[in-house]
Amino acid sequence: MMYIFSSKESVDKYNGVSGLTVINMLPSADGGCFVLWEDQYDNSPKLTDGVNGQRATETYFGNYTILVQYYNSSNKMLWQKPVFKKQSRNALLPDIYSKVATFVLNDEVYLFYPDDPINANKAIDDKDVSLYNLTKFASKDLAGMFVIKFDTKGANTRKYINWPEDKIGFALCTNSFKLTGNGEWIGAARKIRRAGLFVKSEEYTFFKLKF
């Protein structure tokens, strides 16, 4: 399901097609439902400088603002709130390194997504967020991730988790998250290297989270 909301002017400005896409629908115990949307776009191919001065074509994908909605058992929307983020990746990188992982636990919806440390102290409704760019992700980068939760009333909390300094250049695998019980999740990150137009994924590191 997709809802196109951007004007032609804003679409042209970003050289892509922009719209809200449903990324998950998660039921609550009282018969209600969390609905999560994401602003996604696919940029047109661009010419870039490749290896040995050759020109090459690259395509970029973007995953931007998340919209969280809650509907009661009568299908009435009780609230909706945006979560502002900017993620960009080269088409050579699979989308497991961007986007967002979502779960429901004890009638609270959890969102996990990678982000740049420069955004760590910004408010959840701050529109002026810096781009998390996996296109240029390399061994010098030390990333991290946000963990956000909403309850059925719309109250929310957000925490930024930094990667350890010995895990420079590791990118979060958003599709790796698994709920193991007792408020615990396991997940993985993977070493990313890039040389010219080629992207290489190397060793994994695994972690456990508890809230």
Side-chain angles (χ1 to χ4, degrees):
M1 181 177 179
M2 186 173 184
Y3 171 63
I4 302 298
F5 69 98
S6 295
S7 66
K8 183 180 184 303
E9 289 75 17
S10 63
V11 169
D12 290 344
K13 178 181 178 181
Y14 293 103
N15 192 30
V17 177
S18 187
L20 282 174
T21 301
V22 172
I23 57 174
N24 213 344
M25 302 176 70
L26 300 164
S28 58
D30 62 0
C33 183
F34 294 97
V35 180
L36 294 100
W37 304 71
E38 188 177 53
D39 180 7
Q40 300 177 352
Y41 69 88
D42 179 355
N43 271 354
S44 300
K46 297 179 180 179
L47 285 175
T48 60
D49 293 326
V51 180
N52 298 323
Q54 297 178 345
R55 300 288 280 172
T57 299
E58 295 191 69
T59 300
Y60 299 88
F61 296 107
N63 300 93
Y64 275 29
T65 302
I66 300 169
L67 183 65
V68 183
Q69 299 176 326
Y70 184 73
Y71 294 80
N72 64 15
S73 58
S74 300
N75 298 322
K76 179 182 178 181
M77 186 179 71
L78 301 184
W79 54 264
Q80 64 177 6
K81 296 186 178 182
V83 176
F84 293 97
K85 67 178 180 68
K86 293 180 182 178
Q87 297 171 319
S88 177
R89 65 179 175 86
N90 188 283
L92 295 173
L93 282 165
D95 62 6
I96 63 171
Y97 300 117
S98 57
K99 294 190 174 179
V100 58
T102 58
F103 300 88
V104 162
L105 177 66
N106 298 326
D107 276 352
E108 294 177 317
V109 63
Y110 285 79
L111 290 72
F112 301 84
Y113 63 89
D115 207 339
D116 193 294
I118 197 172
N119 293 321
N121 296 320
K122 294 187 176 180
I124 195 169
D125 58 351
D126 190 342
K127 297 180 181 181
D128 186 23
V129 290
S130 299
L131 182 68
Y132 175 67
N133 193 347
L134 265 175
T135 301
K136 299 179 180 179
F137 200 77
S139 58
K140 64 180 178 61
D141 292 310
L142 184 63
M145 65 177 169
F146 273 114
V147 182
I148 304 175
K149 66 177 179 180
F150 289 85
D151 64 19
T152 56
K153 304 297 183 182
N156 62 79
T157 58
R158 184 169 73 160
K159 181 178 181 180
Y160 187 80
I161 301 174
N162 289 285
W163 287 150
E165 291 187 2
D166 63 343
K167 298 302 179 185
I168 289 177
F170 278 79
L172 176 69
C173 303
T174 54
N175 70 339
S176 69
F177 276 94
K178 297 294 184 291
L179 178 62
T180 61
N182 298 319
E184 294 183 349
W185 285 265
I186 57 173
R190 196 170 189 185
K191 188 82 168 183
I192 301 295
R193 294 187 185 274
R194 181 171 182 182
L197 297 178
F198 299 98
V199 178
K200 183 179 181 182
S201 299
E202 298 182 345
E203 72 268 23
Y204 286 95
T205 187
F206 298 91
F207 55 86
K208 179 187 289 187
L209 300 174
K210 184 176 177 65
F211 298 98

PDB file of all heavy atoms in Angstrom, residues 196-207:
ATOM      1  N   GLY A 196      36.061   2.131  -4.888  1.00  0.00           N
ATOM      2  CA  GLY A 196      35.496   2.511  -6.175  1.00  0.00           C
ATOM      3  C   GLY A 196      34.010   2.205  -6.204  1.00  0.00           C
ATOM      4  O   GLY A 196      33.258   2.624  -5.341  1.00  0.00           O
ATOM      5  N   LEU A 197      33.593   1.426  -7.201  1.00  0.00           N
ATOM      6  CA  LEU A 197      32.182   1.081  -7.333  1.00  0.00           C
ATOM      7  C   LEU A 197      31.833  -0.230  -6.656  1.00  0.00           C
ATOM      8  O   LEU A 197      30.672  -0.637  -6.659  1.00  0.00           O
ATOM      9  CB  LEU A 197      31.809   0.988  -8.827  1.00  0.00           C
ATOM     10  CG  LEU A 197      31.938   2.278  -9.626  1.00  0.00           C
ATOM     11  CD1 LEU A 197      31.576   2.025 -11.072  1.00  0.00           C
ATOM     12  CD2 LEU A 197      31.065   3.366  -9.042  1.00  0.00           C
ATOM     13  N   PHE A 198      32.822  -0.892  -6.066  1.00  0.00           N
ATOM     14  CA  PHE A 198      32.578  -2.213  -5.505  1.00  0.00           C
ATOM     15  C   PHE A 198      32.379  -2.143  -3.995  1.00  0.00           C
ATOM     16  O   PHE A 198      33.073  -1.414  -3.287  1.00  0.00           O
ATOM     17  CB  PHE A 198      33.739  -3.145  -5.848  1.00  0.00           C
ATOM     18  CG  PHE A 198      33.928  -3.342  -7.327  1.00  0.00           C
ATOM     19  CD1 PHE A 198      34.865  -2.608  -8.024  1.00  0.00           C
ATOM     20  CD2 PHE A 198      33.131  -4.240  -8.021  1.00  0.00           C
ATOM     21  CE1 PHE A 198      35.035  -2.772  -9.388  1.00  0.00           C
ATOM     22  CE2 PHE A 198      33.281  -4.414  -9.388  1.00  0.00           C
ATOM     23  CZ  PHE A 198      34.237  -3.681 -10.076  1.00  0.00           C
ATOM     24  N   VAL A 199      31.413  -2.921  -3.507  1.00  0.00           N
ATOM     25  CA  VAL A 199      31.098  -2.973  -2.094  1.00  0.00           C
ATOM     26  C   VAL A 199      31.341  -4.384  -1.597  1.00  0.00           C
ATOM     27  O   VAL A 199      30.912  -5.361  -2.213  1.00  0.00           O
ATOM     28  CB  VAL A 199      29.634  -2.571  -1.828  1.00  0.00           C
ATOM     29  CG1 VAL A 199      29.315  -2.671  -0.352  1.00  0.00           C
ATOM     30  CG2 VAL A 199      29.380  -1.168  -2.335  1.00  0.00           C
ATOM     31  N   LYS A 200      32.028  -4.485  -0.480  1.00  0.00           N
ATOM     32  CA  LYS A 200      32.349  -5.795   0.071  1.00  0.00           C
ATOM     33  C   LYS A 200      31.817  -5.896   1.491  1.00  0.00           C
ATOM     34  O   LYS A 200      32.098  -5.047   2.330  1.00  0.00           O
ATOM     35  CB  LYS A 200      33.855  -6.031   0.063  1.00  0.00           C
ATOM     36  CG  LYS A 200      34.267  -7.413   0.552  1.00  0.00           C
ATOM     37  CD  LYS A 200      35.778  -7.583   0.494  1.00  0.00           C
ATOM     38  CE  LYS A 200      36.189  -8.976   0.960  1.00  0.00           C
ATOM     39  NZ  LYS A 200      37.659  -9.149   0.946  1.00  0.00           N
ATOM     40  N   SER A 201      31.034  -6.929   1.758  1.00  0.00           N
ATOM     41  CA  SER A 201      30.547  -7.205   3.102  1.00  0.00           C
ATOM     42  C   SER A 201      31.426  -8.289   3.711  1.00  0.00           C
ATOM     43  O   SER A 201      31.643  -9.341   3.101  1.00  0.00           O
ATOM     44  CB  SER A 201      29.087  -7.674   3.066  1.00  0.00           C
ATOM     45  OG  SER A 201      28.260  -6.669   2.512  1.00  0.00           O
ATOM     46  N   GLU A 202      31.912  -8.029   4.932  1.00  0.00           N
ATOM     47  CA  GLU A 202      32.852  -8.951   5.552  1.00  0.00           C
ATOM     48  C   GLU A 202      32.252  -9.580   6.799  1.00  0.00           C
ATOM     49  O   GLU A 202      31.101  -9.990   6.789  1.00  0.00           O
ATOM     50  CB  GLU A 202      34.166  -8.209   5.818  1.00  0.00           C
ATOM     51  CG  GLU A 202      34.812  -7.701   4.524  1.00  0.00           C
ATOM     52  CD  GLU A 202      36.133  -7.007   4.748  1.00  0.00           C
ATOM     53  OE1 GLU A 202      36.447  -6.657   5.911  1.00  0.00           O
ATOM     54  OE2 GLU A 202      36.875  -6.827   3.757  1.00  0.00           O
ATOM     55  N   GLU A 203      33.014  -9.635   7.898  1.00  0.00           N
ATOM     56  CA  GLU A 203      32.582 -10.406   9.061  1.00  0.00           C
ATOM     57  C   GLU A 203      31.392  -9.768   9.781  1.00  0.00           C
ATOM     58  O   GLU A 203      31.169  -8.566   9.704  1.00  0.00           O
ATOM     59  CB  GLU A 203      33.738 -10.587  10.045  1.00  0.00           C
ATOM     60  CG  GLU A 203      34.139  -9.319  10.803  1.00  0.00           C
ATOM     61  CD  GLU A 203      35.227  -8.535  10.119  1.00  0.00           C
ATOM     62  OE1 GLU A 203      35.398  -8.681   8.896  1.00  0.00           O
ATOM     63  OE2 GLU A 203      35.896  -7.763  10.816  1.00  0.00           O
ATOM     64  N   TYR A 204      30.644 -10.617  10.502  1.00  0.00           N
ATOM     65  CA  TYR A 204      29.516 -10.181  11.321  1.00  0.00           C
ATOM     66  C   TYR A 204      29.964  -9.987  12.768  1.00  0.00           C
ATOM     67  O   TYR A 204      30.938 -10.579  13.220  1.00  0.00           O
ATOM     68  CB  TYR A 204      28.409 -11.236  11.323  1.00  0.00           C
ATOM     69  CG  TYR A 204      27.609 -11.339  10.061  1.00  0.00           C
ATOM     70  CD1 TYR A 204      27.937 -12.280   9.087  1.00  0.00           C
ATOM     71  CD2 TYR A 204      26.499 -10.522   9.836  1.00  0.00           C
ATOM     72  CE1 TYR A 204      27.198 -12.402   7.911  1.00  0.00           C
ATOM     73  CE2 TYR A 204      25.746 -10.639   8.672  1.00  0.00           C
ATOM     74  CZ  TYR A 204      26.106 -11.581   7.731  1.00  0.00           C
ATOM     75  OH  TYR A 204      25.358 -11.685   6.570  1.00  0.00           O
ATOM     76  N   THR A 205      29.202  -9.163  13.492  1.00  0.00           N
ATOM     77  CA  THR A 205      29.280  -9.132  14.947  1.00  0.00           C
ATOM     78  C   THR A 205      27.849  -9.203  15.458  1.00  0.00           C
ATOM     79  O   THR A 205      26.937  -8.624  14.854  1.00  0.00           O
ATOM     80  CB  THR A 205      29.994  -7.867  15.463  1.00  0.00           C
ATOM     81  OG1 THR A 205      30.171  -7.984  16.879  1.00  0.00           O
ATOM     82  CG2 THR A 205      29.217  -6.618  15.158  1.00  0.00           C
ATOM     83  N   PHE A 206      27.634  -9.938  16.541  1.00  0.00           N
ATOM     84  CA  PHE A 206      26.284 -10.153  17.071  1.00  0.00           C
ATOM     85  C   PHE A 206      26.150  -9.477  18.441  1.00  0.00           C
ATOM     86  O   PHE A 206      27.140  -9.308  19.162  1.00  0.00           O
ATOM     87  CB  PHE A 206      25.996 -11.651  17.176  1.00  0.00           C
ATOM     88  CG  PHE A 206      26.026 -12.349  15.871  1.00  0.00           C
ATOM     89  CD1 PHE A 206      27.203 -12.922  15.400  1.00  0.00           C
ATOM     90  CD2 PHE A 206      24.891 -12.434  15.076  1.00  0.00           C
ATOM     91  CE1 PHE A 206      27.254 -13.569  14.163  1.00  0.00           C
ATOM     92  CE2 PHE A 206      24.931 -13.082  13.839  1.00  0.00           C
ATOM     93  CZ  PHE A 206      26.122 -13.641  13.399  1.00  0.00           C
ATOM     94  N   PHE A 207      24.929  -9.083  18.780  1.00  0.00           N
ATOM     95  CA  PHE A 207      24.710  -8.381  20.041  1.00  0.00           C
ATOM     96  C   PHE A 207      23.333  -8.730  20.609  1.00  0.00           C
ATOM     97  O   PHE A 207      22.464  -9.264  19.906  1.00  0.00           O
ATOM     98  CB  PHE A 207      24.815  -6.860  19.838  1.00  0.00           C
ATOM     99  CG  PHE A 207      23.908  -6.314  18.783  1.00  0.00           C
ATOM    100  CD1 PHE A 207      22.593  -5.960  19.080  1.00  0.00           C
ATOM    101  CD2 PHE A 207      24.354  -6.144  17.478  1.00  0.00           C
ATOM    102  CE1 PHE A 207      21.756  -5.460  18.097  1.00  0.00           C
ATOM    103  CE2 PHE A 207      23.523  -5.635  16.491  1.00  0.00           C
ATOM    104  CZ  PHE A 207      22.220  -5.293  16.809  1.00  0.00           C
TER     105      PHE A 207
END
